[in-house]
Amino acid sequence: MTGTLAQIIALVSYGNAYLEKGEIGESFSDTNSTFTFCNKVDFRTFTKGFLSKTPKEEVVADNPEEWFAYMKQSGCRKLALYYQSSEDQGLAKDHQLAGFIGGGGTWYIEAVYDKYSNYWASRWEVTRKGAEDNRIWSVSYGMVSGKQATHDLLIDREITKEKLGETLEDIAAFAKSRELGNWAAIFERATAALDSPVPGESYYHKDLFPEGHYDLLSQQLLSGAGSAWVFGGMGSWNDLGFDNDEDNHRYNALSGKLYSMINMSIVAGVNSRQ
């Protein structure tokens, strides 16, 4: 999956651990893999001035740990993932743009309160191009929508796991039939992760969840979905093309279905932990 999505997942999972216990142990943002390439991660609210059309930004937390404390003090009950697909997909589908910053639909952190939810979205900017430590990104999370209806999506995990597995089998079979063995192997490994007793063993981000806070089924869903993420730019699954319309239609249909099932699996796994 993209680094932007991985970081949002980590913020939700560790944020919920903080909301439950009031602490998360060692410095989260200094050690978690999703912050490896970030030199700064802050959190902001927006207010409209009386005469100005441009909203004023106010930094309410200089780092994730401060934000967790800010959320707890404000009465936030829990954090959840919320995904919204792009309204206009006429020129390109979400799965075709998913590997690019700002593409593939929008992921929000939903902060759930007693009677409403606030929605936070990220903004990534390269502010230290060529930095020796590779920390080139500055990230700001802004509360882009406040006191709105609560979604707190809870999706049946068993059904979602079954559907993701079926989709992976279909797309792996298509890849094999078109002699795309390397891609078929990726989809097969993702399928194996769905039933693995140690699903995150071979996954890059091994610290998306706090230890002990998510059961095996949620971990399997996230690992399977993350391992199946093949959507990017040049050289990715999105970069393929075929000589006939039938193959291209099947390829695009399967790709769109896989992208949808990956997103659903991530939401199901992160929001519905047991």
Side-chain angles (χ1 to χ4, degrees):
M1 67 181 69
T2 62
T4 55
L5 175 54
Q7 189 175 99
I8 287 173
I9 292 171
L11 285 169
V12 169
S13 62
Y14 283 84
N16 279 326
Y18 183 94
L19 291 175
E20 291 174 11
K21 295 186 175 182
E23 60 179 8
I24 50 173
E26 60 184 300
S27 181
F28 162 61
S29 56
D30 285 342
T31 59
N32 191 270
S33 64
T34 65
F35 298 92
T36 300
F37 302 107
C38 300
N39 59 73
K40 183 188 72 170
V41 179
D42 64 25
F43 299 80
R44 307 178 179 210
T45 56
F46 305 97
T47 55
K48 291 183 178 180
F50 181 67
L51 297 177
S52 175
K53 294 182 179 180
T54 304
K56 180 181 178 182
E57 298 185 16
E58 179 185 359
V59 176
V60 295
D62 286 319
N63 55 60
E65 291 83 1
E66 288 185 7
W67 185 64
F68 295 157
Y70 171 83
M71 298 305 289
K72 189 173 182 65
Q73 292 168 4
S74 70
C76 177
R77 293 194 295 106
K78 67 174 289 189
L79 301 175
L81 283 180
Y82 180 66
Y83 172 76
Q84 190 171 62
S85 58
S86 302
E87 291 185 10
D88 184 3
Q89 299 186 50
L91 295 178
K93 302 298 183 183
D94 276 341
H95 74 269
Q96 296 171 318
L97 300 176
F100 303 95
I101 296 294
T106 305
W107 285 94
Y108 297 94
I109 298 176
E110 179 182 2
V112 180
Y113 292 79
D114 286 334
K115 296 182 179 180
Y116 61 86
S117 285
N118 295 336
Y119 295 84
W120 297 73
S122 65
R123 179 180 65 200
W124 289 62
E125 299 177 295
V126 175
T127 56
R128 293 178 59 206
K129 188 176 182 179
E132 292 185 2
D133 61 1
N134 295 319
R135 293 183 178 273
I136 65 173
W137 294 99
S138 291
V139 187
S140 291
Y141 286 83
M143 194 184 79
V144 295
S145 185
K147 295 189 176 181
Q148 301 296 312
T150 293
H151 290 91
D152 190 15
L153 298 177
L154 299 176
I155 302 171
D156 189 294
R157 296 180 301 161
E158 291 287 0
I159 293 176
T160 302
K161 176 181 174 179
E162 181 180 353
K163 289 183 177 179
L164 176 60
E166 291 172 351
T167 304
L168 286 167
E169 289 179 7
D170 289 344
I171 201 166
F174 173 80
K176 285 182 179 179
S177 71
R178 300 306 179 270
E179 299 183 354
L180 300 170
N182 290 339
W183 291 110
I186 290 174
F187 298 133
E188 288 170 347
R189 285 196 294 271
T191 301
L194 286 175
D195 291 312
S196 173
V198 283
E201 190 174 48
S202 60
Y203 190 57
Y204 174 73
H205 293 293
K206 294 180 175 61
D207 52 0
L208 288 181
F209 292 157
E211 187 175 351
H213 276 257
Y214 284 81
D215 67 7
L216 179 60
L217 179 54
S218 284
Q219 293 180 51
Q220 288 172 331
L221 276 169
L222 190 65
S223 184
S227 298
W229 190 282
V230 292
F231 306 103
M234 187 176 296
S236 74
W237 175 259
N238 281 347
D239 201 30
L240 299 179
F242 301 89
D243 294 331
N244 62 78
D245 291 341
E246 182 178 352
D247 282 352
N248 280 315
H249 177 76
R250 180 66 172 158
Y251 158 72
N252 283 314
L254 284 170
S255 299
K257 184 178 180 181
L258 177 62
Y259 185 66
S260 177
M261 286 310 308
I262 285 174
N263 291 339
M264 186 179 296
S265 298
I266 291 171
V267 172
V270 174
N271 287 3
S272 306
R273 73 179 182 85
Q274 300 294 321

